Amino acid sequence: MSDRTSVESVSSTQPRQNTTSDSTTPLGGGTPAPAASPKRSTRARPADAIFRGLSTGSAIFIMVILAGVALFLIVQGMPAIVANWQSNPELNDGFTSAFDSFWAYVGPLLFGTLWSAAIALVLGAPIGIGIALFISHYAPRRLAGLLGYVVDLLAAVPSVVFGLWGIIVIRPFLLPLSDWLNTYLGWIPIFGGQVSTTGSTILAGAVVLAVMILPIITSISREIFLQTPRLHEEAALALGATRWEMVRLAVFPYAKSGIVSATLLGLGRALGETMAIAMIISPAVIVSFLVITEGENSQTIAANIALNFPIASTLQRQALIGTGLLLFVVSLAVNMIARYIVTRGSSKTGGKKKSRPKPLVVPTGDATSTLTRDLVAEKNTAAGPEGASA
Amino acid sequence: MKFKNVATAGAILVASAIALSGCASSTPAATTSATPSAAAVDYSSLSGTITAGGSSAQANAQAAWTTAFTAQAKGVTINYDKSQGSGGGVTNWTAGSYDFAGSDSPLTKDQQTAATLCGPNGAINLPIYLDGVAIVYNLAGVDKLNLSAETLAKIFSLAITTWNDPAIAAENPDAKLPATAITTVTRSDGSGTTKTFTNFLSQTAKDVWTYPADSAWPIAGTSAQKGTSGIVQAVGAGDGTIGYADHSAIGELKAASVSVKGKDFVAFSPEAVTSAFDAAASTTDTGIKGDLAQTVDFTAISGTEAYPIPLVSYGILCTTFKDAKQKELTTAYLGWIGSDVGQKVAAKNAGAAQIPEKLLTEIAASLELVK
Amino acid sequence: MTALSPRTVEKGPVPNSLTTGQLPRFAELYIFGASAVVSGVLLMLIGFDVIGWLVLSAVVYLVLLGILSSLVENRRKAIDRLVRGLVTVAFLLAIIPLVSTLFTVVSKGIGALSFQFITQSGGSAFNPDTLEVTNTPGALQAIVGTLIITGIATLISVPIGLFTSIYLVEYGRSGQWLSRTVTFLVDVMTGIPSIVAGLFAFSLFTIILGPKAFSGFSASVALSVLMIPTVVRACEEMLRLVPHDLREASYALGVSKFATIVRIVLPTAIAGIVTGIMLAIARVIGETAPIFMAASFTDNFNSNPFEGPMQTLPVMAYTGFAFPGTDITASNNSAWGAALLLVILVVILNLIARVIAKVFAPKGSR
C-alpha cells in the first residue's frame, strides 16, 4: 500500500521542488549524469537532481572540512617542526628544553601513544567482541536488548569520569596485582622495574582505556553479528554444526571486516584519548615498555598536549600542534593498513564479499557450499586423529 | 578564626564604602585613588562583560572576586576561564581574546613589548594574588614534620629514598620516622607552582639542586600527577608520599614546616607568607613604566615569622587599551582586586595571603597609567 | 586421497550423537556450582578473597567443563561448550568494570541531585558585612549549555553525515574516486584529537569574527568535526543493510530514485540510523577539551549560542574535580552530580530517539 501512495506523493511534490532545482543542480555538477545508477528511470526528475546534488555536496563538504583541519595543523605545526630546537630560546625553556629536535621530542610520544593503545586493544578488543557475540548469539533475547542498552550508555560517560574512576577504583585495585606480577613474573621485561606505590601506571591507564573502547567495539560488532544472513547460520546448524562452529564458519567470515572496522574505531578513540590518560598515568617522555612502574611510563601525544598546552609559549604550542599533526598521520596510517588487511583478506578467500554484503546479490548457494566444504573438512580433521589412533 | 579581626576591619570598610557610595557621583575612573583601602567607589554605573582567563592558582580567588565585585557592579559580567592555565591565558590575551590574563609567571620584557595589541608602551604585570607552596605529605604516625630547603632538595631530587634517613631524622628529633620508602609526587603538567618551587630549591639549595627554575618538573622517576588536585589525591591515597601544592587547595592534607637555613621551621600561615614576600620580593626593572613584575630572593627569607615559599600570581594587561569601555571595566575590576577589601575577600574565601600594603599602592598607581 | 581416508574411519568411533554422548541438561549449572564450591574451599585454605574466588571458579569451571564434555561427548562439542563458557566469562568480566563505572557515577552523584540543583544555575552571594562569599550549587547553566551546544552540533552533523552516507551507498560506486576518497577521509576524521578540533573551530571563528570569538556555536562546530565521521560510519552501515530487493521493487514500480531513498530506504533503516546518531551524540556530549578551546569557560548563565562563553555538564564535572573550590568536598559533589545528570540526559535522549524510530519505522520491521 505504501508503494502506491509514495509514487503519487512524489509526483505531487515535483512542481514545488522544480523551482529550486536551478540553484542546486550545479552542486551535483561534479559528477556527470551518465554515471548514475543503471536503475535510474529515463525520465529526468528535478527532485532526484537536488537530492543527488545534496548528497554529493555533503560528501565534498567533508573533504573540505578535513582539508581545512589538515591545513590548519600544517600551518600551525610547521614553524615548530622546522625550527632549530638547539638554539631557539623559546624551545630551550620548559618542557621542550631537553630535546634536540622535533623528532627527538615526538618519537617517545609516538611510541607511548601506540604502546598504550596497543595494550588497551589487546585487553579490550577480544572482550568487546566477546560481549558482542554473547549479546547477539548466546544471551537470551530479552536480556540481550537490555545489555546492549547498558553498553551503549557507557559511551556517554565523559572521559573525565573514566579518569576519576580510574583513580579511585582501578589504581588501588591494580596495586596488589602489580606487586604480584613484579614478584613472580618480573623476569618478563615489561613487568620489571620499580613497582609503583600510587598505582599511576600505564597498565592502569590502559585498563581504563580498554573499558572506554568497549562500548564502541561492542555496539558496532553486535550490529554486524546480528546482520549475518539467517540462511548461512541455519545452513550451518542444519549440517550438524555446533553453535561455535556455526559462529566460526558463518558469522565470523561474514563479520570480519566489520569487526576490523569496529576495532579500528576503538583504536581511534584509544589513540586520541586525552583526559583519562592525563589523569591516571604518571608520564615521562621516554621510550619504555615497562607497565607497572611509577616514573617510567611512556607519555602519549594527546595527554601530552593537554598537560603542556596551558603553559606553552607560542612556539611550544606550535610544537604541540605539530605532535597533533603526527597523531593525525598515525591514525591515517593505521586506517590504511587495516583497509589493506581487510581487502587482502577478502580477496584471498575468494568470491565471498564480506565487507559489504548485499544479501541477495551474494550467491547464497555458492556460499553455503563453501560452508559445507569447510564443515566437512572440519569433521574430518576432528575425527582424524581418533581414527588414526584406533 | 584568625580572620576574625581582619573580617571586622573589612566589614567596617565596606560598610563605609556603601554609605559613601550614595553621594559619590565621581566617574568610575576615580577607582585608582592613591589609597587603595579607600574603596569609596561607585561601581554601579559600570556595565559590560570582562573576558579573562589563565592561571588556575587564582581560580578560587577570581571566583570570590567576581562574585564580590559584581555584587557592587550589577551590570558587569565577568568570565574568568581557569582551565586555560597561565600559558593559555597569555596566549589568548596576546591574541586579543582576553581583557586581561592571569599568569603565575610575569611577562618577560620581550613579551611585554612584542604584544602588538598593546601598542608601543607594551603591557604591565600586576601582582594581585599571593599564596604559598605547601609541602604536603602522608606518613602514618607522623603529624608534624620539619624540612629544610636542603633536605627538600635531596628528597625531590630522589637522593633520599626512605623516611628514616639521617638527614630527615636530624631535623625531626621528636618524630618517630618509619623506614617507609619515599614516593615523591610532582606535577605532570606545566605549572607556576612547579616554577616557584624549583626556583626556591635552586636558590636555597644550590649544591644539591642543580636544575634551573622551570615550569615543567625536571627530574624523571617521580610520580607525576595532573594538576594540584591530582597531587592532593595521590599524596592522600598513598603512604610515605610527599608533594608540593598551592596551599589554598590542599584540603585536609598535612603540610610540613619549612626553613631555608635548617633552623626556625615555619608552618604555613597567610601572615607568614605576606611577611616573607614583603622581605624577599623586589620589583624587576623592565624599563616599562608601571610594570610590577617581582623578583623573589628566597635566601633573604629568615626568622620564625616568614614562610619560605611564597607564590605570587599576576594580572597582565595592556597599558593602552583599544576599547575605552573595556579599559574602564578592566581597570575598575583589577583596581578593586588590588584594594585592601579585594585582598581580604581573597584571603577569607580562597585561603590566599594578602599582597603587602606598599605594593597595593603601587598597583593603584600603575593602573592610573593605563590608557 | 587423504580427504577420503579419515572419512572411512569416521564411522567407527563416532556414535550416534542423537541418543548417546550427551551431558545431562543442566550439566553446566551443576558444574559451575561444583567449581564454585571447590575453588571456595581451596581458597579457604590459603585465605579467602572475593575476586580470587570468582576468577578461580571461572577457571575451574572452564577446565572441568572441557574435560567432562570431551570425555562424555566429543571434541567438537567440548570446544563448543568451552567457547560458550569463555564468551560468558568474557562477558561477565567486562560487565564488572562497566557496572562499576555506572555504579560509581550514580552512587556519588545521586547525593548532589535535587530539584534546585537542576532548576537553578550555580550562583554565589557576597555578604559585604562579613566579606563572605557563599556558593549555591546549580547545574541549569550547564544543562542549557550542553543541550544548545550538542543540539546545534547535531543539527550540523546529521544532515551532512546522512547525506554523505546516502551518497556513498546510493550514488557513489565503489570504484569511483570520490566515494573511495570520502570513505577514506571519514576514517581519517575519526582520528582527529578532540583538542585539535576545538582549536580548529576557534581559529576559524577568530578569522571571521575577530579575537573574542568564544561562543557556544564555535564549540558546536568543533563537536561537529568530531561527530560527522561517526554519523557517516553508522548511517552507511545501516543503509547498506537495506535489502536490495526493496529498492529494486520500488524501481520496478517506476518510483524515482529520490522517492525510493526517502520512502523506502530511509524508513527501513531508521532504527539503525537513529541508534548510530545517538551513539555519535553520546560520543561528543561528554567532550571537555574542545569546549574549553572554543567556548572558553564561565560560571554565568548564558543561553545565547552566538555570543559569550558557555558551560556544559562535562566541563562542570571537569572543573569541579580539577579546580575545586576551598570546600573540596562540595566541589566534587556537584561535579559528580553533573556527571550523573549527563548520563541521565543521554538516557532521556536515547528514549526519545527510540520513540522517534518506532514512529517512523515501517510496520513489521525489526
Side-chain angles (χ1 to χ4, degrees), chain C residues 85-153:
Chain C
L86 269 178
V87 168
T88 317
V89 167
F91 173 76
L92 293 176
L93 204 69
I95 220 74
I96 294 169
L98 299 187
V99 169
S100 157
T101 316
L102 281 183
F103 177 77
T104 312
V105 175
V106 173
S107 64
K108 297 225 173 208
I110 201 86
L113 286 200
S114 65
F115 184 70
Q116 272 148 1
F117 188 70
I118 298 167
T119 52
Q120 276 179 6
S121 55
S124 46
F126 177 61
N127 183 343
D129 296 331
T130 59
L131 291 187
E132 205 149 358
V133 174
T134 42
N135 295 305
T136 39
L140 187 66
Q141 82 281 12
I143 297 173
V144 169
T146 304
L147 288 176
I148 290 178
I149 291 179
T150 318
I152 295 177

Side-chain angles (χ1 to χ4, degrees), chain C residues 237-255:
Chain C
E237 292 290 339
M238 297 311 148
L239 289 180
R240 287 201 195 275
L241 294 173
V242 174
H244 234 62
D245 52 349
L246 285 183
R247 295 191 182 96
E248 276 157 13
S250 172
Y251 294 140
L253 288 167
V255 179

